[in-house]
Amino acid sequence: MRIKICGITQIEQGKAIADFGATALGFICVPTSPRYVSPNQLKMLIERLPNTVNQIGVFANASADLILQTVSQTHLTGVQLHGDESPEFCVFLKQCLPNIEIIKALRIKTTDALVESQAYFNCVDTLLLDAYHPSMLGGTGKTLDWDRLASFTPPIPWLLAGGLTPDNINEALGLISPDGIDLSSGVERSPGDKDLAKVKKLFQQLET
Ligand SMILES: O=C(O)c1ccccc1NCC(=O)[C@H](O)[C@H](O)COP(=O)(O)O
């Protein structure tokens, strides 16, 4: 199973998280986020972090130009679209970046919103389901209604996000079987400052 830890801002924390067994690290390229890393910071982080893990840049309603420029300046292996990007935008980006993983995040307000995911099945490599929040785009700590996701079996890989913590991860994975999980605030001391004790506990819990 893929394990993505999102909102990395510090090299040493990123290295330690990769050593614990994360398969992907996420970097927030959304300027309004308290976890924001600038293109220069992102380049420096990626240069110093192990290339054995996927390096995912998270964008929200950014222009294609900004995304393409950021990818060309760094060695991102994937781009996560966390805003209101249309299927057409995703198709365009995939055409421009055929070797880069495109992840479309959907913020699920009600399970009816899962129907929306169908429009992306042929446009992206991976889906990510996150919790809806009226004023925050991500890193909210809010959980999804896992019971209702049991029937979500898209034809492409998907990651579960939203309020996952070392204490609730096994409950979530007992109810649903995503291809991977994505955590941010549940393994933090404060936004962008990862708590390595919590990350360690997460991996211990996943082994039980
Ligand atoms: O984390 C942010 O600050 C953020 C800001 C704007 C868009 C997306 C953002 N995060 C996206 C993520 O991938 C988070 O890991 C995901 O929302 C889960 O967060 P959490 O509920 O805190 O585990």
Side-chain angles (χ1 to χ4, degrees), residues 104-173:
K104 178 68 187 103
L106 299 171
R107 289 169 287 119
I108 307 297
K109 194 172 183 180
T110 68
T111 38
D112 291 345
L114 290 174
V115 175
E116 188 197 336
S117 70
Q118 294 173 9
Y120 294 91
F121 289 171
N122 293 320
C123 313
V124 298
D125 299 295
T126 308
L127 289 172
L128 180 148
L129 299 191
D130 198 1
Y132 173 83
H133 187 283
S135 58
M136 289 167 77
L137 287 171
T140 68
K142 277 189 70 179
T143 53
L144 285 159
D145 185 345
W146 303 318
D147 273 323
R148 295 200 174 192
L149 290 182
S151 58
F152 184 67
T153 52
I156 58 173
W158 72 282
L159 309 180
L160 175 68
L164 297 173
T165 71
D167 295 323
N168 69 15
I169 194 66
N170 283 337
E171 185 190 345
L173 295 179

Side-chain angles (χ1 to χ4, degrees), residues 4-7 26-36 56 58-60 80-83 105 107 128-131 136-143 160-165 182-188 191-192 194:
K4 173 169 168 277
I5 304 294
C6 214
F27 307 94
I28 306 299
C29 305
V30 181
T32 51
S33 168
R35 303 177 182 89
Y36 175 66
I56 311 291
V58 179
F59 297 84
Q80 180 172 319
L81 302 171
H82 220 92
R107 289 169 287 119
L128 180 148
L129 299 191
D130 198 1
M136 289 167 77
L137 287 171
T140 68
K142 277 189 70 179
T143 53
L160 175 68
L164 297 173
T165 71
D182 172 286
L183 292 86
S184 185
S185 60
V187 287
E188 277 181 339
K194 296 302 173 204

Side-chain angles (χ1 to χ4, degrees), residues 85 89 133 172 196 203:
E85 298 83 5
F89 183 86
H133 187 283
L196 296 182
F203 283 93

